[in-house]
Amino acid sequence: MRIANKTLLDDFVQSHAQSAGPLNKWVEKVKGAKWTSHADLKQILQFKKEGLIWKRN
């Protein structure tokens, strides 16, 4: 996956400092991802009421 606007993410982190750790972790996970379908994405993610949770492998 390609992150289209890293500057936008960096600006968000500057306004919401508590998001830096989780957002940076997300960026590292998705940068190298080679998803080709929604099913690929669903294999590694869980959606919970609180939001998006990475499945532990």
Side-chain angles (χ1 to χ4, degrees):
M1 174 182 254
R2 185 173 71 85
I3 307 236
N5 194 341
K6 182 76 167 84
T7 302
L8 184 63
L9 296 177
D10 293 339
D11 290 346
F12 181 84
V13 167
Q14 285 198 359
S15 298
H16 303 87
Q18 74 279 7
S19 70
L23 191 55
N24 288 333
K25 186 175 179 180
W26 176 82
V27 167
E28 288 307 310
K29 279 198 175 256
V30 300
K31 265 198 310 196
K34 303 286 188 232
W35 300 315
T36 58
S37 68
H38 187 254
D40 290 346
L41 182 61
K42 285 176 66 175
Q43 284 181 351
I44 65 161
L45 300 175
Q46 295 181 52
F47 293 91
K48 296 199 177 231
K49 186 174 164 182
E50 306 82 40
L52 185 62
I53 308 294
W54 292 101
K55 286 185 182 176
R56 298 183 194 271
N57 293 338

